[in-house]
Amino acid sequence: MRLVSWGLLLLLVSCTTYSSTALGKPENNIKTSVFLSPKFELGPGSVANKFYFDVDFPRGHIALKSFNAEVVDEAGKSVPLQETYLHHWIVVKYHQPKNVSHNNNQTDIVELRNSGLCQEDVLGQYFGLGSETRGTATDIPDPFGIEIGNPSEIPYGYEEKWFFNVHAIDTRGVEDRMGCTECRCDLYNVTKDGNGKPLSPYYKGGLDCCPDNSHCRLKKGFKGPKRSLYLRYTVKWINWDNYVVPLKIYILDVTDILNVSKGMSPKHTCKIEYQVEACSKGYNSSSACIDVRKTSLPMQTGGYVIYGVGHVHSGATASTLYGQDGGVICSSIPKYGNGNEAGNEKGYVVGMSTCYPKPGSIKIKDGETVTLEVRYSNSQMHSGVMGLFYILVAEQLSY
């Protein structure tokens, strides 16, 4: 892995952007670093779904204040979604013995999950977005932060590391750009999942149909060059001290099915993605064609909501988290682009509205059941869509 190093601008940046005096806190300058993932190559119609271990990351006992990412080319130029669709990127924390030093070595890793409800190695990331990443705020207000690098929480002989999963699809010259970004199985000529088992005939598209090194169907005769791309990610943080209030990360999934058996611990099954069927042809108005998906989830431990945002795909109209009393905790609305430039691509989700409640104004009680509702237009079928919701929660408001 290498740091950004393009001429005048992109050396590893470490700079002060502002300082905090919240709650009488002494000055603690925010630092910013910009990194590059390892290079991945994409030609027209091709897919990269890569895992990169031991990536460059700020070190030490610190509090993360924001995390953003985007796909760029070798010149450091932002790549628009209609050329390379960023399906998703996620970053995960793990521990590994100190004597393991090679990048992408997965020996004896212990993944450290967020506080969310999903189980079985699903949605355990600390950060992660998709096409909306350029236009979605991730800044954490003072005096809060996400604590990492605490020496007392790292087992003896181990060190804290991070890995990325980057899923990108090159849609230059494809027959059906939307179909390729929704991973329609017929466009990828995929009939089996990653374990070699035949896919259900009802499974029209999703992650199983656009794995690493797969190809989406091109227009006849189209040819284009391969190019080298990177995930450029920007991390802001401050040094940890007793004035920082730690936050817990919860990722909720609208596909989460809660199974409760007598004498057994509750089990959450999160499918991550689902299919939105086209509405009945009997509807005369597209306004009637809205697919509504809901799930209700008990939060064993609550706290004060400091930040909230949804993650959805093209076709979505809203994502809302409700409290047990029916009140809105956070509503996150997708923003669609209307141009061609990176960050404003027409028809793509290029941002999500975020929630920053006044600290102390919204609290989820211990044991409270929250309801996640996700809405998609179903004037046409959408495959492989997602309905996730990220919230950052403080158990207390100050130290």
Side-chain angles (χ1 to χ4, degrees):
M1 173 145 327
R2 57 174 182 165
L3 300 177
V4 181
S5 57
W6 298 306
L8 297 176
L9 174 63
L10 297 177
L11 293 168
L12 171 64
V13 179
S14 182
C15 62
T16 298
T17 53
Y18 62 87
S19 61
S20 165
T21 56
L23 300 182
K25 180 184 186 303
E27 184 174 294
N28 194 348
N29 293 329
I30 287 187
K31 302 175 180 65
T32 301
S33 289
V34 183
F35 302 99
L36 280 183
S37 75
K39 177 178 69 175
F40 55 94
E41 292 186 335
L42 286 176
S46 62
V47 177
N49 190 9
K50 306 295 186 184
F51 290 83
Y52 302 119
F53 287 78
D54 194 15
V55 297
D56 289 319
F57 212 81
R59 304 295 179 180
H61 191 190
I62 61 177
L64 298 178
K65 298 293 287 185
S66 77
F67 199 115
N68 293 96
E70 65 169 338
V71 173
V72 297
D73 62 18
E74 284 198 302
K77 183 179 178 181
S78 300
V79 178
L81 295 169
Q82 68 267 23
E83 296 179 14
T84 299
Y85 179 73
L86 182 55
H87 186 281
H88 69 263
W89 62 267
I90 63 172
V91 60
V92 178
K93 183 170 75 168
Y94 66 98
H95 289 159
Q96 189 172 36
K98 289 183 176 180
N99 59 357
V100 177
S101 58
H102 300 293
N103 285 357
N104 264 18
N105 191 319
Q106 302 173 41
T107 303
D108 297 327
I109 70 170
V110 180
E111 184 179 324
L112 303 169
R113 298 177 55 80
N114 60 58
S115 300
L117 306 178
C118 297
Q119 297 167 318
E120 298 180 354
D121 298 326
V122 175
L123 299 175
Q125 66 264 26
Y126 268 48
F127 293 94
L129 293 171
S131 67
E132 76 276 21
T133 186
R134 292 185 180 109
T136 302
T138 63
D139 296 291
I140 298 172
D142 292 333
F144 306 98
I146 296 172
E147 183 181 14
I148 66 170
N150 186 339
S152 67
E153 296 178 357
I154 301 174
Y156 177 77
Y158 282 72
E159 58 186 331
E160 183 177 283
K161 297 182 179 181
W162 297 82
F163 77 77
F164 264 111
N165 171 218
V166 182
H167 191 189
I169 303 170
D170 191 318
T171 57
R172 292 175 294 161
V174 297
E175 277 188 8
D176 180 351
R177 184 171 280 137
M178 179 64 75
C180 291
T181 62
E182 292 190 344
C183 298
R184 302 276 178 85
C185 300
D186 58 336
L187 293 173
Y188 286 87
N189 195 29
V190 172
T191 59
K192 297 180 180 180
D193 65 17
N195 297 317
K197 295 181 179 179
L199 294 170
S200 165
Y202 300 104
Y203 185 80
K204 301 301 182 183
L207 291 169
D208 280 333
C209 287
C210 53
D212 190 36
N213 296 322
S214 59
H215 289 81
C216 197
R217 189 184 306 145
L218 297 174
K219 296 174 183 176
K220 188 174 181 179
F222 183 87
K223 293 183 179 179
K226 279 188 177 182
R227 57 182 178 179
S228 298
L229 302 172
Y230 306 83
L231 188 77
R232 182 170 65 198
Y233 53 106
T234 302
V235 188
K236 295 181 181 180
W237 81 97
I238 59 176
N239 293 324
W240 185 267
D241 61 33
N242 291 334
Y243 292 94
V244 181
V245 179
L247 295 175
K248 288 187 174 182
I249 304 166
Y250 288 87
I251 300 178
L252 309 178
D253 182 4
V254 78
T255 71
D256 187 348
I257 299 173
L258 177 61
N259 295 305
V260 180
S261 300
K262 188 175 181 179
M264 302 289 288
S265 298
K267 182 178 180 181
H268 291 266
T269 302
C270 299
K271 296 182 179 180
I272 305 177
E273 58 180 4
Y274 62 102
Q275 186 164 301
V276 172
E277 300 294 347
C279 63
S280 169
K281 295 180 180 179
Y283 284 117
N284 294 320
S285 171
S286 61
S287 63
C289 292
I290 298 293
D291 178 87
V292 180
R293 183 70 62 100
K294 293 183 180 181
T295 189
S296 294
L297 303 166
M299 300 282 288
Q300 184 175 357
T301 303
Y304 299 96
V305 177
I306 304 301
Y307 170 87
V309 68
H311 169 67
V312 295
H313 290 185
S314 293
T317 60
S319 180
T320 306
L321 186 65
Y322 296 93
Q324 191 164 312
D325 62 359
V328 174
I329 293 173
C330 177
S331 183
S332 185
I333 308 299
K335 175 187 176 182
Y336 287 88
N338 56 16
N340 293 314
E341 67 273 20
N344 187 35
E345 299 91 335
K346 185 176 180 179
Y348 292 88
V349 177
V350 296
M352 294 292 295
S353 68
T354 53
C355 297
Y356 287 95
K358 181 181 178 180
S361 63
I362 295 182
K363 184 178 183 180
I364 298 173
K365 297 177 181 177
D366 292 354
E368 180 174 352
T369 296
V370 299
T371 297
L372 175 57
E373 178 185 278
V374 178
R375 293 174 173 254
Y376 274 85
S377 167
N378 63 341
S379 56
Q380 67 182 71
M381 187 269 284
H382 294 286
S383 62
V385 305
M386 295 185 183
L388 309 180
F389 214 95
Y390 292 69
I391 55 173
L392 299 180
V393 174
E395 292 187 343
Q396 55 192 32
L397 293 177
S398 64
Y399 271 130

